[in-house]
Amino acid sequence: MNILQDMAASLAVIPEALQAFLQAFPLARQALRSLGVALPLAALLAFAGMGFLSTAARVLAVTRRRSSYEKLSRQLGLLGMCLGWLLLVGSRIWLFLAESVYPSGFLLQLVLEISWTLLGMAVLCSSLYFTLWKHVQNMVGVHVMLGIASGAMSCLALLAALACARLLGAAALPPDIHLALPEIFFPGWLSPFWRAIYWLPPLILAFAGGCGALWLVVRRKADDYGRDHYNAALPWCAAWARNAWAVFWLLLLGSFLLDAFPGGGAENLLQETLLREGAWLLFWLLPAVLWLPVSRSSAPLRLKPLVLAALLAAVAFAQPYFDAVTAIALPAGGAALP
């Protein structure tokens, strides 16, 4: 009994030591915060698109009569189910631990629970899609509808999670600032918040394709389907990620031009700022550039470092994306608050 008590006392000291370490090293605190945002958000984006990607491969298996697409669809279905359960359990633990940290309120708690419930329904659909595979293998229409339902429910869960993040950002405003729901969620159809919503479809498919490509590399030995299968499946996932990220980058370019030339000119934007933002914009083209050779290679397994590097570069965008979603503009025209 004394040993158990000593172990419990030692574990209780760990959070205090970690907090002291983070207070002493601000860069480490910022890095940990960024990872805590980027990784779950990237996983949620990938989960939202995995049902659609797996369903697309399932349809191609029937229309093109290639068993490789059937195997790929099953592999992506397994990945979607695993991501869903990780997100579901992790979010429940986060909700339990965050009760005393985040502001309380009936509306906020209600939206948080609705978000978690929607995520649970999405995970249930994803689990049924994968576990009932053999039972509905000959009922392609039913299986495809189940996959589409899984993807649609996952997208609803993603939107609900972003709405929760938005409400948490509004709840963290100074006490003297009170915003109504229309001011929080409808600040303007071309506001940073709504532009981020417009980016969601290509981002969902890009993260799903990127995670799917990495999953194939990881499962290479466990799912020994032969080199020919991976020579076809890996470029297919990389092509989805590349094309979707290219579409997203064009939308990002449009947002940049809208800010840089609001009235057809750049009088309000310094040349130095324009060059810096333009260079930053070019950096976000990197994931598509890295996915390009993988999608065109006849031996993609030799390009495994590019698969990982492309996904990591895409995950790096999750933090600024989260900031765009949660930024709240003050009513008096002040600066946006994250």
Side-chain angles (χ1 to χ4, degrees), residues 16-30:
E16 298 179 2
L18 179 60
Q19 186 175 3
F21 173 79
L22 295 177
Q23 290 292 337
F25 298 95
L27 290 179
R29 182 172 67 250
Q30 181 61 33

Side-chain angles (χ1 to χ4, degrees), residues 168-231:
L168 287 172
L173 291 174
D176 58 332
I177 298 178
H178 300 283
L179 297 178
L181 286 180
E183 294 176 298
I184 296 174
F185 291 104
F186 297 98
W189 296 110
L190 292 179
S191 64
F193 168 65
W194 274 100
R195 290 185 205 174
I197 298 299
Y198 302 149
W199 300 340
L200 270 180
L203 278 177
I204 285 172
L205 294 177
F207 274 94
C211 286
L214 184 61
W215 179 253
L216 293 178
V217 172
V218 173
R219 297 285 298 180
R220 172 68 177 87
K221 293 183 179 179
D223 299 329
D224 191 9
Y225 293 142
R227 186 172 294 273
D228 290 340
H229 166 72
Y230 290 95
N231 287 345

Side-chain angles (χ1 to χ4, degrees), residues 9 12 74 134 136 141 146 159 168 173 199 244 263 309 327:
R74 189 174 177 85
K134 293 183 179 179
V136 296
L146 187 58
L159 290 174
L168 287 172
L173 291 174
W199 300 340

Side-chain angles (χ1 to χ4, degrees), residues 120-294:
M121 294 174 64
V123 173
L124 176 62
C125 290
S126 178
S127 300
L128 289 175
Y129 174 75
F130 178 75
T131 56
L132 296 179
W133 198 284
K134 293 183 179 179
H135 302 281
V136 296
Q137 191 170 11
N138 296 326
M139 297 181 287
V140 180
V142 174
H143 202 200
V144 167
M145 292 301 296
L146 187 58
I148 293 175
S150 171
M153 189 60 65
S154 302
C155 289
L156 286 178
L158 171 62
L159 290 174
L162 294 179
C164 289
R166 185 80 174 170
L167 280 178
L168 287 172
L173 291 174
D176 58 332
I177 298 178
H178 300 283
L179 297 178
L181 286 180
E183 294 176 298
I184 296 174
F185 291 104
F186 297 98
W189 296 110
L190 292 179
S191 64
F193 168 65
W194 274 100
R195 290 185 205 174
I197 298 299
Y198 302 149
W199 300 340
L200 270 180
L203 278 177
I204 285 172
L205 294 177
F207 274 94
C211 286
L214 184 61
W215 179 253
L216 293 178
V217 172
V218 173
R219 297 285 298 180
R220 172 68 177 87
K221 293 183 179 179
D223 299 329
D224 191 9
Y225 293 142
R227 186 172 294 273
D228 290 340
H229 166 72
Y230 290 95
N231 287 345
L234 192 54
W236 187 84
C237 290
W240 270 94
R242 176 203 64 197
N243 295 339
W245 194 270
V247 172
F248 153 71
W249 188 84
L250 291 176
L251 294 176
L252 193 63
L253 176 62
S255 298
F256 168 74
L257 294 177
L258 191 63
D259 289 334
F261 309 102
E267 295 84 359
N268 297 328
L269 196 64
L270 296 177
Q271 184 176 4
E272 180 182 353
T273 305
L274 184 64
L275 291 175
R276 184 176 65 250
E277 294 296 330
W280 190 241
L281 180 67
L282 287 176
F283 173 76
W284 293 123
L285 193 57
L286 179 62
V289 173
L290 294 176
W291 275 315
L292 178 61
V294 181

